[in-house]
C-alpha cells in the first residue's frame, strides 16, 4: 500500500488521465476511487487541483469523443454492436435513448453517473446528429462536474480516505478477496436478472418468411414498429406499412380498444432478443389482443432476409400518440390510416 501511494503521488496526473480515459472507453477500471484518493492528496498539497481537473477532462473528452465520432460515422450499426457486448444489452440502448431525447446535451452529464449508460450516451448523441461544438461544450462541462465531485469528496473526507487506505494495507489478502467477491457477486446478480428477464419475454415469435407471406393475403396483419423516436431517427427504415407506436404508449394502455382482436398483430424492434417487441406483445395480450406476436430477429432479420423496406414519414404516429391529449380513438384512426398505406399488402 505504501508503494501504491508513492506511485500515486509521483504519477498522479498520468494515473488520473489514464483511468478517466479508460472509464470513458468502457473498461472496468476504478476511476471514481482513484479520483477520491487524488482529492485527498490535493488536500495535503501532493497533487495540483487544476492539473487533476485538466487531465481528467482531457481523458473524458478523448474517450467520449471517440465514441461520439463512431456513432456519427456508423449510426445504428455501431449502436447495435455496442449494446450486444454490454452486460445489459436489453436495456442499454433504451436507457440511453431515453436520456438523450429527454435531456439533450445534459444527458452527457447524467450518463457519467449512471452505470451501463456512460459508454452509450456519446455515440447515441453522435448518431442522433448532435453538433460537434455542442458535444464538446457539454462534454467539458460534464467532465468538470464528474471529476470535481469525486476530487471534492476526497478533499472533504481526506481523514476517512487515509483510514480506509490504512485498513486495506492491514487487511492485505483479505481485502483483495472481498473486492473480488463483490465484483463476482455483482456479475452474478446481473446475470440472474438477465435470465429472469429473458424468461419473461419468452413467447412464440413469427418468422420473417411467415410475416411476408401473411402480408400478401386478403387480411394482412397489422405491423407495428415499437422503436422509439430516437431509434427511428437513427434508422428510419421500416417494414412497408408499419405503424410507429412506442412500447411506452402500448404499456400505458393508450391503445386500449384500438385493435381488432380477430386480426394478427406483428410487432418488431431492433433490440437484442426482441425484448421491446415481446414486452409490447405481452402488454397487448393483457389488453385483450391475443393474436399479437413479436417478429423474430426484428428489423435486422427482415433486412437480412432481403425483404423490402420503406421510410417512416416525418410526422410519426408516436409523436401524436405521445401527446398528453392522446386518446385510443386517435390511435385507432392512425392504425386505420397505416392500414391503407401502400406496401401493407405488397
Amino acid at each position: 500500500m505504501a508503494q501504491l501511494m508513492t506511485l500515486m503521488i509521483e504519477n498522479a496526473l498520468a494515473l488520473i488521465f489514464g483511468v478517466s480515459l479508460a472509464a470513458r472507453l468502457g473498461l472496468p477500471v476504478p476511476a471514481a476511487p482513484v479520483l477520491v484518493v487524488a482529492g485527498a492528496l490535493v488536500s495535503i498539497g501532493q497533487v495540483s487541483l487544476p492539473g487533476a481537473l485538466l487531465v481528467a477532462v482531457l481523458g473524458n473528452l478523448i474517450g467520449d469523443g471517440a465514441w461520439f465520432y463512431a456513432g456519427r460515422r456508423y449510426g445504428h450499426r455501431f449502436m447495435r454492436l455496442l449494446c450486444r457486448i454490454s452486460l445489459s444489452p436489453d436495456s442499454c440502448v433504451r436507457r440511453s435513448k431515453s436520456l438523450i431525447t429527454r435531456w439533450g446535451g445534459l444527458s452527457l452529464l447524467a450518463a457519467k453517473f449512471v452505470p451501463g449508460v456512460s459508454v452509450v450516451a456519446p455515440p447515441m448523441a453522435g448518431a442522433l446528429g448532435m453538433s460537434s461544438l455542442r458535444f464538446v461544450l457539454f462534454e467539458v462541462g460534464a467532465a468538470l462536474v464528474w471529476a470535481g465531485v469525486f476530487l471534492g469528496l476526497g478533499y472533504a473526507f481526506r481523514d476517512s480516505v487515509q483510514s480506509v487506505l490504512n485498513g486495506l494495507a492491514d487487511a492485505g489478502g483479505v481485502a483483495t478477496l472481498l473486492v473480488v467477491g463483490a465484483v463476482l457477486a455483482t456479475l452474478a446478480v446481473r446475470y440472474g436478472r438477465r435470465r429472469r428477464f429473458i424468461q419473461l419475454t419468452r413467447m412464440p415469435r413469427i418468422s420473417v418468411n411467415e410475416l411476408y407471406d401473411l402480408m400478401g393475403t386478403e387480411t394482412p396483419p397489422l405491423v407495428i414498429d415499437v422503436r422509439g423516436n430516437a431509434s427511428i431517427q437513427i434508422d428510419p427504415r421500416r417494414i412497408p406499412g408499419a405503424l410507429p407506436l412506442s412500447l411506452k404508449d402500448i404499456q400505458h394502455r393508450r391503445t386500449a380498444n384500438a385493435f381488432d382482436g380477430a386480426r394478427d398483430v406483428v410487432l418488431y424492434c431492433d433490440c437484442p432478443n426482441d425484448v421491446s417487441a415481446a414486452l409490447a406483445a405481452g402488454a397487448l395480450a393483457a389488453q385483450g389482443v391475443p393474436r399479437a406476436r413479436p417478429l423474430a430477429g426484428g428489423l435486422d432479420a427482415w433486412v437480412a432476409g432481403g425483404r423490402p423496406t420503406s421510410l417512416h414519414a416525418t410526422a410519426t404516429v408516436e409523436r401524436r400518440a405521445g401527446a398528453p391529449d392522446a386518446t385510443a380513438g386517435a390511435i385507432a384512426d392512425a392504425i386505420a390510416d397505416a392500414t391503407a398505406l401502400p406496401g401493407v399488402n405488397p
Side-chain angles (χ1 to χ4, degrees), residues 20-325:
S20 298
L21 175 60
R24 297 286 71 83
L25 290 175
L27 300 178
V29 297
V34 169
L35 287 173
V36 170
V37 173
L41 295 176
V42 167
S43 68
I44 59 176
Q46 296 290 341
V47 175
S48 164
L49 178 59
L53 287 172
L54 177 62
V55 296
V57 169
L58 187 60
N60 276 263
L61 190 57
I62 294 175
D64 281 347
W67 291 129
F68 176 80
Y69 173 78
R72 172 70 63 81
R73 178 70 176 81
Y74 300 105
H76 64 92
R77 297 186 300 276
F78 179 76
M79 293 306 305
R80 283 200 289 269
L81 172 64
L82 187 63
C83 279
R84 283 196 175 97
I85 63 177
S86 166
L87 286 176
S88 302
D90 302 325
S91 62
C92 94
V93 165
R94 189 168 63 251
R95 293 169 67 190
S96 60
K97 287 171 185 170
S98 177
L99 272 176
I100 292 289
T101 53
R102 182 174 300 179
W103 300 104
L106 291 177
S107 62
L108 296 174
L109 170 60
K112 294 187 183 300
F113 298 94
V114 180
V117 178
S118 57
V119 177
V120 184
M124 181 67 69
L128 290 175
M130 181 181 290
S131 70
S132 298
L133 177 60
R134 181 178 172 84
F135 168 77
V136 170
L137 291 176
F138 276 106
E139 176 63 25
V140 169
L144 281 172
V145 173
W146 175 78
V149 165
F150 292 112
L151 288 171
L153 287 174
Y155 189 97
F157 298 98
R158 51 191 175 275
D159 295 335
S160 300
V161 170
Q162 186 59 52
S163 299
V164 171
L165 293 175
N166 292 338
L168 290 175
D170 294 338
V174 175
T176 302
L177 289 176
L178 289 174
V179 171
V180 172
V183 172
L184 292 177
T186 300
L187 291 175
V189 169
R190 297 190 73 172
Y191 177 77
R193 279 185 195 157
R194 177 162 170 71
R195 293 294 301 174
R196 288 194 297 272
F197 195 67
I198 291 176
Q199 289 290 337
L200 180 65
T201 57
R202 181 168 291 173
M203 63 178 61
R205 278 145 166 82
I206 184 172
S207 71
V208 167
N209 290 335
E210 288 175 315
L211 173 59
Y212 186 76
D213 291 341
L214 282 176
M215 291 173 72
T217 63
E218 293 182 358
T219 56
L222 175 64
V223 182
I224 298 178
D225 185 343
V226 301
R227 297 177 299 161
N229 255 0
S231 287
I232 292 175
Q233 289 178 43
I234 294 173
D235 184 4
R237 295 175 302 172
R238 65 167 177 168
I239 295 174
L243 169 70
L245 194 61
S246 73
L247 170 62
K248 181 178 178 181
D249 281 332
I250 293 174
Q251 289 178 324
H252 288 184
R253 304 184 67 85
R254 292 174 180 164
T255 56
N257 304 320
F259 295 93
D260 178 2
R263 186 179 182 187
D264 286 307
V265 179
V266 177
L267 307 102
Y268 71 88
C269 59
D270 60 357
C271 44
N273 304 313
D274 313 317
V275 167
S276 294
L279 290 175
L284 286 179
Q287 297 173 29
V289 186
R291 300 178 64 177
R293 288 181 289 170
L295 175 64
L299 183 61
D300 288 343
W302 180 268
V303 173
R307 302 308 184 186
T309 61
S310 59
L311 297 180
H312 276 292
T314 303
T316 67
V317 174
E318 182 184 14
R319 291 192 184 95
R320 286 182 280 162
D325 59 348

